[in-house]
């Protein structure tokens, strides 16, 4: 069994591993694409030299000029792309470091809050042990238990009466003649009709035995209302009784100096809230850079593509393939040497392209898997699973699932199921009712117990 914070640390470690893999694939992709760019430029240079050998002066000057211009533009685009990617990568690295620092600061703040809460909890337990022998407290506690039981019974009777009412009044409401007279308030002081209608309504009333039915129907509706009102009175009485007990407990806590410890809890909670806010900002900044990186590299890499297309367009424009074939047909040694170098360059370009495609594919898949794990981490923190008072009983499965998601063997939905299925929430200092509980609102993610029925008083806690 591991704590929620340990589970979060595992997830954070997996995310960091994914980012390290992304950097490795990014370096491989960048190196391969830069090599393709360099080789394309070398290929253009070789064709330019071949044009100088094979073409006449006029044609040579025109072809070489076009190739020179294309090469210069391509080199400029590649250099710009390299610098832009370097800056973006460096900004992402810095953003990742800020996230790591913010996460460490958040964990330190949680440690501080946990320590402050431990002081409050120790003080509370000490006071609770001492006051348990106080006769006034024992009497107040017994009275709370007594009225609590009364409140439960009153609520139970009210609910049962309401259910019976809904069931038993159906035959009355299904009788159109009875409901006709009921709606006209027949037999009451509010009944106002002309003499003829009154005569006819009396005939209808005798037919359906309205006087007896009206008394029964009225009582059927009144009993649940009376029981519900009684339940409300008992619940209010319980609130007052509990308030007296809480006042006794709170006085004992204050006399024991609990307020200083509670102040430290409030300060630690505020520090944690500030650290969480800064971590959120750091993660949002990193996510924005991740999106910029995805747009720049994973979804197009526009500057690199433009440079390669520029060189390819120059090849097509000058019909260099024809020049290449002519060079193969002549026995001139220099022609053949240039042609062999072009063939070698073409082979190296294909190899580099293959490496670039593989690295790009791995980079994109790793980024997607990392995003899935980050999404589950956000859900975990939003639900408060990483508090000191939560545990995971399936730590082995969690470790295996994280590894499987990282390698692509397991989908992200399975990770969410493991996190939901393995979590168990333990009691926190905010769950205690002693002395009215902590007079400090908990930070986000700290669940604080429940309620009884549809009312707003609790019957559990430390009593």
């Amino acid at each position: 069994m591991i704590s929620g914070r340990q589970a979060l640390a595992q997830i954070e470690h997996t995310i960091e591993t994914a980012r390290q893999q992304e950097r490795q694939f990014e370096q491989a992709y960048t190196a391969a694409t830069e090599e393709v760019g360099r080789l394309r430029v070398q290929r253009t240079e070789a064709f330019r030299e071949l044009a100088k050998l094979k073409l006449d002066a006029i044609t040579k000057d025109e072809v070489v000029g076009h190739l020179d211009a294309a090469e210069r533009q391509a080199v400029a685009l590649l250099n710009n792309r390299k610098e832009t990617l370097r800056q973006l990568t460096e900004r992402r690295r810095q953003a990742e470091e800020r996230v790591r620092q913010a996460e460490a600061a958040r964990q330190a703040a949680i440690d501080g809050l946990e320590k402050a809460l431990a002081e409050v909890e120790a003080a509370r337990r000490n006071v609770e042990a001492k006051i348990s022998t106080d006769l006034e407290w024992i009497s107040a506690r017994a009275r709370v238990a007594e009225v609590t039981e009364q409140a439960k019974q009153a609520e139970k009777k009210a609910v049962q009466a309401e259910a019976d009412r809904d069931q038993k009044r159906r035959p009355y409401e299904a009788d159109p003649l009875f409901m006709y007279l009921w709606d006209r308030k027949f037999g009451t002081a509010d009944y106002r009709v002309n003499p003829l209608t009154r005569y006819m309504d009396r005939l209808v009333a005798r037919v359906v035995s309205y006087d007896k039915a009206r008394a029964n129907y009225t009582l059927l509706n009144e009993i649940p209302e009376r029981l519900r009102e009684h339940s409300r009175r008992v619940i209010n009485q319980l609130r007052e009784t509990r308030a007296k007990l809480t006042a006794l407990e709170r006085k004992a806590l204050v006399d024991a100096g609990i307020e200083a410890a509670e102040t430290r809890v409030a300060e630690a909670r505020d520090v944690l809230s500030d650290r969480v806010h800064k971590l959120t900002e750091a993660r949002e900044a990193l996510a924005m850079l991740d999106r910029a990186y995805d747009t720049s590299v994973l979804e197009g890499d526009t500057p690199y593509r433009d440079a390669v297309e520029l060189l390819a367009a120059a090849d097509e424009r000058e019909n260099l393939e024809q020049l290449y074939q002519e060079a193969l047909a002549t026995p001139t040694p220099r022609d053949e040497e240039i042609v062999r170098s072009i063939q070698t360059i073409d082979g190296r370009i294909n190899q580099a392209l293959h490496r670039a495609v593989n690295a790009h594919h791995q980079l994109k898949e790793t980024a997607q898997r990392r995003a899935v794990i980050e999404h589950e981490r956000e859900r975990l923190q939003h639900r408060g699973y990483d508090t000191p008072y939560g545990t995971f009983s399936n730590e082995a499965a969690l470790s295996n699932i994280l590894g499987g998601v990282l390698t692509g063997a397991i989908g992200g939905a399975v990770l969410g199921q493991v996190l939901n299925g393995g979590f168990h929430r333990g009691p926190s200092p905010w769950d205690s009712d002693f002395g009215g509980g902590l007079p400090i609102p908990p930070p986000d993610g700290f669940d604080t117990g429940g309620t009884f029925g549809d009312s707003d008083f609790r019957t559990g806690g430390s009593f």
Side-chain angles (χ1 to χ4, degrees):
M1 182 177 294
I2 60 175
S3 69
R5 294 179 60 189
Q6 290 173 319
L8 179 65
Q10 282 193 24
I11 294 175
E12 292 289 355
H13 177 72
T14 305
I15 292 173
E16 178 58 27
T17 300
R19 287 192 175 274
Q20 291 175 357
Q21 292 180 358
E22 286 182 64
R23 286 192 286 271
Q24 294 173 356
F25 293 136
E26 175 193 327
Q27 292 170 0
Y29 172 70
T30 300
T33 54
E34 288 180 353
E35 184 177 359
V36 171
R38 289 194 300 270
L39 291 172
R40 292 289 308 194
V41 172
Q42 292 178 19
R43 186 174 185 273
T44 300
E45 292 174 349
F47 269 116
R48 181 175 56 202
E49 184 175 356
L50 189 61
K52 292 178 180 179
L53 291 175
K54 301 299 296 178
L55 301 177
D56 59 58
I58 297 176
T59 307
K60 176 185 68 177
D61 290 342
E62 182 180 355
V63 172
V64 171
H66 288 155
L67 292 177
D68 282 344
E71 181 182 340
R72 285 193 298 272
Q73 293 180 51
V75 169
L77 284 171
L78 290 172
N79 288 338
N80 289 338
R81 177 254 188 189
K82 181 178 180 180
E83 178 59 21
T84 300
L85 185 58
R86 185 197 67 78
Q87 293 179 4
L88 180 56
T89 301
E90 176 61 19
R91 288 166 60 197
R92 283 182 81 205
R93 187 197 66 78
Q94 294 175 357
E96 289 171 359
E97 179 60 28
R98 285 192 291 271
V99 168
R100 281 192 291 270
Q101 293 175 357
E103 178 61 34
R106 173 184 175 274
Q107 291 299 330
I110 291 179
D111 290 339
L113 177 59
E114 187 176 3
K115 181 180 178 181
L117 288 171
E119 294 178 5
V120 168
E121 185 67 5
R124 184 193 66 79
R125 290 184 182 278
N126 184 48
V127 171
E128 189 172 9
K130 291 180 179 180
I131 202 174
S132 62
T133 59
D134 182 85
L135 294 180
E136 185 180 6
W137 182 84
I138 293 173
S139 175
R141 182 171 178 263
R143 180 59 179 160
V144 166
E146 177 185 353
V147 180
T148 296
E149 184 60 29
Q150 293 174 1
K152 288 181 179 180
Q153 294 302 321
E155 177 72 10
K156 181 179 178 180
K157 290 179 180 179
V159 170
Q160 184 61 53
E162 289 166 348
D164 291 344
R165 176 193 59 194
D166 294 340
Q167 178 68 29
K168 293 179 179 180
R169 70 183 183 183
R170 290 176 183 173
Y172 294 93
E173 294 173 352
D175 187 340
L177 296 178
F178 172 79
M179 292 308 298
Y180 160 77
L181 296 173
W182 177 267
D183 291 338
R184 296 175 72 92
K185 296 180 173 55
F186 183 80
T188 70
D190 295 327
Y191 181 67
R192 296 285 189 275
V193 295
N194 61 55
L196 178 60
T197 301
R198 183 184 298 272
Y199 172 75
M200 297 301 297
D201 286 348
R202 286 174 179 169
L203 295 178
V204 173
R206 283 197 294 271
V207 171
V208 299
S209 301
Y210 179 75
D211 290 343
K212 181 180 179 181
R214 182 173 71 87
N216 292 337
Y217 188 67
T218 299
L219 187 61
L220 185 62
N221 284 292
E222 287 180 352
I223 289 177
E225 293 179 1
R226 293 173 183 174
L227 290 176
R228 172 56 62 193
E229 182 60 32
H230 174 66
S231 176
R232 293 193 186 100
R233 286 195 300 270
V234 177
I235 289 174
N236 288 333
Q237 184 182 1
L238 177 59
R239 291 195 186 99
E240 295 172 359
T241 306
R242 286 179 63 89
K244 293 177 182 178
L245 179 61
T246 297
L248 286 174
E249 295 171 342
R250 182 62 189 172
K251 183 178 184 301
L253 289 169
V254 172
D255 291 344
I258 193 74
E259 290 177 313
E262 290 173 344
T263 298
R264 288 190 288 273
V265 170
E267 293 171 349
R269 181 207 57 188
D270 292 342
V271 169
L272 175 58
S273 297
D274 179 67
R275 299 286 172 79
V276 169
H277 177 70
K278 290 179 179 178
L279 176 59
T280 300
E281 289 182 337
R283 282 179 175 166
E284 288 175 351
L286 177 57
M288 184 173 64
L289 289 172
D290 283 338
R291 289 191 293 270
Y293 181 84
D294 292 346
T295 301
S296 176
V297 178
L298 298 182
E299 298 178 7
D301 203 357
T302 303
Y304 168 76
R305 186 179 66 245
D306 290 346
V308 173
E309 290 179 354
L310 185 63
L311 292 172
D315 287 359
E316 182 179 355
R317 176 178 180 181
E318 304 304 339
N319 196 15
L320 298 183
E321 180 62 28
Q322 180 179 351
L323 190 62
Y324 177 84
Q325 295 298 331
E326 291 176 359
L328 286 174
T330 62
T332 307
R334 182 56 184 157
D335 287 1
E336 294 178 359
E337 183 181 340
I338 295 174
V339 167
R340 284 193 297 271
S341 71
I342 293 174
Q343 291 172 336
T344 300
I345 291 172
D346 285 341
R348 292 171 61 190
I349 287 175
N350 288 333
Q351 293 173 2
L353 283 173
H354 182 70
R355 291 196 302 273
V357 169
N358 285 340
H360 185 274
H361 178 72
Q362 291 175 312
L363 174 60
K364 191 169 186 177
E365 286 197 339
T366 303
Q368 291 171 342
R369 294 166 190 162
R370 183 254 305 158
V372 167
I373 299 174
E374 288 179 334
H375 175 69
E376 291 301 330
R377 176 197 62 195
E378 297 301 325
R379 293 179 60 192
L380 182 149
Q381 290 183 321
H382 179 70
R383 295 176 182 177
Y385 284 11
D386 65 330
T387 70
Y389 310 101
T391 59
F392 286 88
S393 59
N394 55 354
E395 65 272 21
L398 176 60
S399 179
N400 292 333
I401 293 300
L402 285 170
V405 173
L406 188 59
T407 61
I410 298 176
V414 179
L415 175 58
Q417 294 171 2
V418 169
L419 291 173
N420 289 333
F423 180 74
H424 301 279
R425 180 189 173 277
S428 81
W430 271 283
D431 293 318
S432 173
D433 281 338
F434 189 85
L438 270 175
I440 305 160
D444 293 340
F446 281 71
D447 195 7
T448 55
T451 58
F452 167 69
D454 61 354
S455 62
D456 62 354
F457 66 90
R458 286 181 287 174
T459 56
S462 59
F463 303 102

